[in-house]
């Protein structure tokens, strides 16, 4: 949202309010997963476990964003993390360690392993580091 105001000295002031569409998508899809809805209800009921609601109403598990399998968010996160210009096809273990710092979803480790196993670049990098068969 952009708002323009004119100050007392007749200067035009612009205010820009930017929000991440990712947080909006995560928050909206949290209501599509009955486990996350139940967890949200427990948090709102005063359960003081690791789950919390942040100021934007997004459910978090510790510091990590929680989201459901709905809405293509998992595929988007996996693609963004691997296709970023700062990423170098890290492999399953490194990709999991990096992503679990910020995100949580049910079956996360399995989804990452499946995604990496289908990435041609990741498989080619992995093959370069293996010794040829039959040699010791």
């Amino acid at each position: 949202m952009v708002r323009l105001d004119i100050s007392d000295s007749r200067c035009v002031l612009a205010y820009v309010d930017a929000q991440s569409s990712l947080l909006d998508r995560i928050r909206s899809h949290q209501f599509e997963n009955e486990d996350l809805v139940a967890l949200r209800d427990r948090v709102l009921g005063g359960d003081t476990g690791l789950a919390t609601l942040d100021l934007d109403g997004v459910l978090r598990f510790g510091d990590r964003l929680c989201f459901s399998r709905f809405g293509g968010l998992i595929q988007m996160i996996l693609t963004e993390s691997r296709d970023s210009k700062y990423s170098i096809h890290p492999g399953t273990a490194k990709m999991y360690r990096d992503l679990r710092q910020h995100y949580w979803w049910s079956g996360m480790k399995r989804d990452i392993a499946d995604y990496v196993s289908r990435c041609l670049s990741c498989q080619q990098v992995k093959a370069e580091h293996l010794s040829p068969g039959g040699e010791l």
Side-chain angles (χ1 to χ4, degrees), residues 2-17:
V2 175
R3 190 179 88 215
L4 299 175
D5 287 337
I6 298 176
S7 70
D8 293 336
S9 61
R10 312 286 293 158
C11 296
V12 175
L13 303 173
Y15 300 94
V16 177
D17 182 22

Side-chain angles (χ1 to χ4, degrees), residues 47-67:
D47 186 350
T48 58
L50 290 175
T52 60
L53 286 175
D54 67 13
L55 296 175
D56 295 320
V58 177
L59 185 64
R60 292 180 179 266
F61 189 72
D63 291 334
R64 303 183 295 169
L65 294 168
C66 296
F67 53 92

Side-chain angles (χ1 to χ4, degrees), residues 7-59:
S7 70
D8 293 336
S9 61
R10 312 286 293 158
C11 296
V12 175
L13 303 173
Y15 300 94
V16 177
D17 182 22
Q19 291 185 348
S20 169
S21 63
L22 177 61
L23 285 179
D24 293 336
R25 286 182 65 189
I26 289 172
R27 181 179 43 245
S28 68
H29 289 296
Q30 285 179 343
F31 292 100
E32 296 175 5
N33 181 303
E34 61 188 46
D35 293 332
L36 293 181
V37 169
L39 183 57
R40 175 185 287 274
D41 290 343
R42 286 197 311 266
V43 169
L44 290 172
D47 186 350
T48 58
L50 290 175
T52 60
L53 286 175
D54 67 13
L55 296 175
D56 295 320
V58 177
L59 185 64

Side-chain angles (χ1 to χ4, degrees), residues 5-134:
D5 287 337
I6 298 176
S7 70
D8 293 336
S9 61
R10 312 286 293 158
C11 296
V12 175
L13 303 173
Y15 300 94
V16 177
D17 182 22
Q19 291 185 348
S20 169
S21 63
L22 177 61
L23 285 179
D24 293 336
R25 286 182 65 189
I26 289 172
R27 181 179 43 245
S28 68
H29 289 296
Q30 285 179 343
F31 292 100
E32 296 175 5
N33 181 303
E34 61 188 46
D35 293 332
L36 293 181
V37 169
L39 183 57
R40 175 185 287 274
D41 290 343
R42 286 197 311 266
V43 169
L44 290 172
D47 186 350
T48 58
L50 290 175
T52 60
L53 286 175
D54 67 13
L55 296 175
D56 295 320
V58 177
L59 185 64
R60 292 180 179 266
F61 189 72
D63 291 334
R64 303 183 295 169
L65 294 168
C66 296
F67 53 92
S68 72
R69 306 189 75 73
F70 300 103
L73 291 171
I74 292 171
Q75 186 67 31
M76 183 189 77
I77 295 294
L78 293 174
T79 302
E80 287 289 325
S81 67
R82 196 216 51 208
D83 292 344
S84 165
K85 62 183 172 182
Y86 303 110
S87 176
I88 54 169
H89 298 272
T92 303
K94 172 107 173 68
M95 190 171 186
Y96 175 69
R97 282 193 309 270
D98 290 347
L99 289 178
R100 77 174 182 195
Q101 292 177 11
H102 305 286
Y103 306 106
W104 179 88
W105 68 85
S106 178
M108 183 176 181
K109 191 177 249 187
R110 181 186 63 242
D111 289 338
I112 292 171
D114 184 51
Y115 185 82
V116 169
S117 73
R118 287 184 275 134
C119 172
L120 181 60
S121 296
C122 290
Q123 297 311 308
Q124 289 172 338
V125 169
K126 183 177 179 181
E128 290 175 7
H129 293 84
L130 296 175
S131 60

